[in-house]
Amino acid sequence: MTIHVRAPATTANLGAGFDVAGAALDLWNEVVVDDAAGEPDGEHLGVRAFSKFADPERYTFSFTDRIPRERGLGSSAAVVALGLVAGAIAAGAEPTADELLAEGLELEGHADNLAAALAGGVCLTWDGHIVRLADTTPAAPVAVVPNNRVNTAEARASLPQSVPHADAVFTAGRAALLGAALARGDSSLFAAGADDRLHEPYRAVHAPHFDEIKNDLPEGALGVTISGSGPTVIVWAVEADAVAGELRSRYPDHDVLQLRVVAEGAGPL
């Protein structure tokens, strides 16, 4: 038996949706698992995830990585999702998305990324649960991907232990707007919900050009968010072709990826 699974990139936090909101993107990692005894790398995240359901020693693994690593696009979440889904298939199990999330959190640690990689679309997570609010977002994601990498632990360490009450109130209100925007597909609410004072002001140092783009949005863009821990930023566009073209002109040394939010999560091919 050969198992072929793919899992999408993700963009998490979505402005005011810090540690809660994530969306699946049409950039895919894959794994092919063959039913033949091998010597799998026991430290590989995907193999460790696979072992949650099935014995990896009975199989050989071939991973294809297309998602840039340590760029804030959920590469580790995608690999964990690949292993979980492939392992479940190998074991003949049919776990729910919540059950897969519970098995994978020990390895991934970021529920917002992993939820979107598993369930697809735009997801919110809380207390180990996933709710998928929408198949897509009111604006298209255009990713500006610098060459430098960001360590997630270092980026999280830049966050303060407390924030001013006014900033907390501001972000709570914007988070409510974000949820409403996603549920209704409302672009004006989405633009408001993309604003944040809880994490992005502190993480901007790890995301080159975030402030620059935010203060000078390309025509046809609604807003900009830091993707995961950075350094990638997502420019949310209602005119994606024009926005991507302008960003390529501004930042010729970066990868500018014109993406879309996809309804599909990790699953067999």
Side-chain angles (χ1 to χ4, degrees):
M1 175 179 67
T2 296
I3 300 167
H4 190 182
V5 175
R6 69 174 186 169
T10 53
T11 182
N13 298 323
L14 299 187
F18 177 56
D19 272 358
V20 174
L25 304 174
D26 63 331
L27 181 61
W28 302 85
N29 281 358
E30 298 179 20
V31 65
V32 176
V33 182
D34 285 313
D35 189 5
E39 296 182 0
D41 178 2
E43 296 302 312
H44 192 286
L45 267 180
V47 175
R48 291 166 64 192
F50 184 93
S51 70
K52 297 286 185 177
F53 292 96
D55 180 5
E57 298 294 335
R58 295 177 48 196
Y59 301 90
T60 59
F61 298 81
S62 177
F63 289 91
T64 299
D65 297 328
R66 298 186 182 91
I67 304 168
R69 296 182 181 181
E70 296 183 331
R71 301 295 210 286
L73 289 169
S75 61
S76 61
V79 171
V80 170
L82 288 176
L84 291 172
V85 172
I89 293 171
E94 297 183 358
T96 65
D98 282 2
E99 290 168 341
L100 288 170
L101 180 67
E103 292 292 345
L105 273 180
E106 175 192 353
L107 300 173
E108 161 55 24
H110 299 94
D112 46 357
N113 278 116
L114 185 54
L118 290 169
V122 189
C123 296
L124 303 182
T125 57
W126 81 102
D127 297 337
H129 299 292
I130 302 171
V131 59
R132 201 174 93 161
L133 284 185
D135 289 344
T136 189
T137 48
V142 179
V144 181
V145 188
N147 293 321
N148 62 297
R149 300 185 177 192
V150 169
N151 179 276
T152 300
E154 291 178 3
R156 188 164 288 269
S158 68
L159 301 178
Q161 293 298 309
S162 62
V163 297
H165 186 269
D167 288 349
V169 171
F170 176 93
T171 301
R174 292 308 192 275
L177 291 174
L178 176 66
L182 295 171
R184 293 174 53 180
D186 188 308
S187 60
S188 61
L189 292 181
F190 186 77
D195 207 359
D196 166 79
R197 294 182 186 173
L198 185 62
H199 70 105
E200 288 186 337
Y202 309 99
R203 282 181 160 172
V205 66
H206 299 291
H209 314 308
F210 170 73
D211 287 329
E212 185 176 277
I213 295 172
K214 185 175 181 178
N215 293 328
D216 184 18
L217 282 176
E219 186 174 352
L222 294 180
V224 58
T225 57
I226 298 175
S227 190
S229 297
T232 296
V233 298
I234 302 291
V235 182
W236 298 96
V238 291
E239 298 176 14
D241 290 343
V243 169
E246 180 172 338
L247 290 169
R248 290 188 180 105
S249 296
R250 288 192 195 182
Y251 306 111
D253 295 334
H254 296 353
D255 290 328
V256 175
L257 307 179
Q258 192 172 335
L259 301 170
R260 61 187 178 91
V261 174
V262 291
E264 301 85 1
L269 281 172

